């Protein structure tokens, strides 16, 4: 039979003694906290350093926000009573709150308060103190950030505490950060063997602080073997940095390519099916962007869901404008491409002036929803912005939906029939005029959807479409007229190539080089990457 362990009970006298000791400790802790506040008000930099240590060890909830305010320069002294306050700037003065209790204290003039001054040494001490306070946070991201604040700021006592914590830390990312912090601390050791081991431990590390320290050790360390070890570790880190820089370039290239695909895919439909050179395509993109702006004006308190309303609204607005352009202008000019180009150029000018009249010539800013804001941090040298990641995904969704429409619907079948042989399609009962109108409306609607995406990357203005019309034609010609897969491949290829060339040639020269490359390519393959098949291809 198992025996339960017996717990020794404290006698009533012992419990009273412990209670008395704990009650006696409270005034002592309070007195230490209050004395630290007094040192911040009247003390020298050395006294303020002691006060920071006392506050960090006080266990009071108010210590962390107070130290943060001191570090960020928001901690002030009210001259009338030497009270520590947090000051928020207002017109002609400050709004004050008590630094400890958080009580509002009203507004005062700028001369009624003075800032609590600190130096660089104190800033490092405060950052270290805040990091130690946050090491007990349940969120691994907060703990990792706290350890990174300690990079290059460790003393022997803090390093010893980090070694103890490293063994019990459950999160691998936090353990890795602790290892880097300890290695950076050991790089300052007087023992060459210790420095050599620390340099080897930092091999391949991406953190900028670690790479800077390795660079300094590789250049200045008195020990030859340590310099050699640090140099090899630094080269390993730089290789990884170059790899992630390539991934970042690829990501930005794909995001630019997604914009080009969205801008060009509607043009590819109208150009491929109808043979119409639509110079007003950029203005249809602009109408989609302005539709997003209007939707947000109508939904000021629901910005996070406004894009879900703006996408179908932009498709309808631009699509209806496209059908009106086809019925009112283009249907009278079939078979005359030069006159179609001139007529649609005139339509583009009319649409620009219409927007200037309704919305004014000034650019309009469209808000970004919270779920598209910020970035995903992969590591210390690579972070992916959410708005560009969403646009890549949005491009693929639009492409897939359009592919389904062309492959799986009656309209898509009729469009392909008209594209391959218009006369035969008419003989089979296809109403080609109706197909032309719906095709132009579909391509215009997709252009409006592209405008929704562009509104999240740039300001919305009357000239928005002019920035993308030439690029759209380049994508269409390079990919192959009327081929959706060609649009996707060519758009992504041109986007990545542009981002690869930009760092060493500049944005303008990069576009010129790409244009020259496309011209040379078209000389060899005049029908593009994916030439159109069928009898229309022979025409």
């Amino acid at each position: 039979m198992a025996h339960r362990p017996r717990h020794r009970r404290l006698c009533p006298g012992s419990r009273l003694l412990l209670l008395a000791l704990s009650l006696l400790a409270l005034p002592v802790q309070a007195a230490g906290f209050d004395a630290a506040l007094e040192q911040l008000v009247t003390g020298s930099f050395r006294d303020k350093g002691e006060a920071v240590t006392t506050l960090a060890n006080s266990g009071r909830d108010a210590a962390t926000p107070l130290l943060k305010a001191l570090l960020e320069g928001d901690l002030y002294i009210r001259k009338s009573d030497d009270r520590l306050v947090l000051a928020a700037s207002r017109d002609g003065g400050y709004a004050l709150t008590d630094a400890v209790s958080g009580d509002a204290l009203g507004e005062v003039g700028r001369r009624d308060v003075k800032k609590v001054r600190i130096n660089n040494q104190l800033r490092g001490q405060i950052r270290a103190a805040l990091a130690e306070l946050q090491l007990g946070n349940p969120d691994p991201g907060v703990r990792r950030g706290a350890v990174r604040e300690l990079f290059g700021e460790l003393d022997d006592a803090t390093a010893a505490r980090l070694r103890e914590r490293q063994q019990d830390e459950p999160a691998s990312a936090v353990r890795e950060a602790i290892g880097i912090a300890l290695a950076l601390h050991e790089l300052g050791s007087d023992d060459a063997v210790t420095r050599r081991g620390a340099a080897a431990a930092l091999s391949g590390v991406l953190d900028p602080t670690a790479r800077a320290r390795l660079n300094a050790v590789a250049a200045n360390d008195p020990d030859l073997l340590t310099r050699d070890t640090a140099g090899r570790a630094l080269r390993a880190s730089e290789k990884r940095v170059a790899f992630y820089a390539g991934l970042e370039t690829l990501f930005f290239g794909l995001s630019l390519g997604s914009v080009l695909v969205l801008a060009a895919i509607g043009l590819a439909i109208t150009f491929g099916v109808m043979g119409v050179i639509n110079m007003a395509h950029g203005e249809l993109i602009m109408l989609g962007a302005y539709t997003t702006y209007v939707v947000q004006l109508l939904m000021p308190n629901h910005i996070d869901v406004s894009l879900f309303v703006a996408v179908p609204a932009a498709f309808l607005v631009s699509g209806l404008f496209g059908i009106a352009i086809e019925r009112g202008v283009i249907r009278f000019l079939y078979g005359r491409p030069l006159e179609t180009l001139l007529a649609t150029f005139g339509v583009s000018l009319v649409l620009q002036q219409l927007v200037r009249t309704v919305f004014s010539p000034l650019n309009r800013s469209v808000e970004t929803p919270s779920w598209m804001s910020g970035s995903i941090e992969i590591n210390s040298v690579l972070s992916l912005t959410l708005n560009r990641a969403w646009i890549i995904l949005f491009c693929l969704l639009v492409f897939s939906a359009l592919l389904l429409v062309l492959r799986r619907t009656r309209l898509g079948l009729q469009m392909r029939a008209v594209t391959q042989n218009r006369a035969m399609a008419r003989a089979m009962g296809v109403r080609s005029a109706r197909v032309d109108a719906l095709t132009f409306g579909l391509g215009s609607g997709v252009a409006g959807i592209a405008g929704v995406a562009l509104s999240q990357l740039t300001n919305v203005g009357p000239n928005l479409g002019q920035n993308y019309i030439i690029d759209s034609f380049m994508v269409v010609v390079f990919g192959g007229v009327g081929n959706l897969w060609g649009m996707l491949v060519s758009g992504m290829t041109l986007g990545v190539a542009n981002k690869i060339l930009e760092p060493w040639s500049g944005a303008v020269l990069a576009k010129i080089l790409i244009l020259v490359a496309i011209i040379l390519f078209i000389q060899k393959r005049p029908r593009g990457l994916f030439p159109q098949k069928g009898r229309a291809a022979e025409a």
Side-chain angles (χ1 to χ4, degrees), residues 253-265:
L254 291 176
S255 66
L256 175 60
S258 298
V259 172
L260 294 179
V261 170
L262 287 171
I265 198 167

Side-chain angles (χ1 to χ4, degrees), residues 500-533:
I500 291 175
L501 292 174
E502 273 186 8
W504 64 271
S505 66
V508 176
L509 184 57
K511 284 194 173 184
I512 294 175
L513 292 174
I514 289 175
L515 179 59
V516 171
I518 291 177
I519 293 173
L520 295 176
F521 176 82
I522 294 301
Q523 296 299 315
K524 297 294 183 182
R525 297 194 59 168
R527 298 189 184 278
L529 286 173
F530 297 89
Q532 193 179 40
K533 297 179 181 179

Side-chain angles (χ1 to χ4, degrees), residues 367-409:
E367 293 187 49
T368 301
S370 59
W371 49 273
M372 287 185 69
S373 303
S375 60
I376 304 171
E377 183 179 349
I378 307 300
N379 51 50
S380 57
V381 296
L382 177 62
S383 59
L384 308 179
T385 52
L386 282 174
N387 61 341
R388 292 184 178 274
W390 278 110
I391 284 176
I392 294 174
L393 178 62
F394 182 63
C395 169
L396 296 177
L397 290 175
V398 171
F399 176 83
S400 301
L402 199 55
L403 199 62
L404 287 175
V405 168
L406 295 180
R407 297 288 176 86
R408 303 295 182 185
T409 65

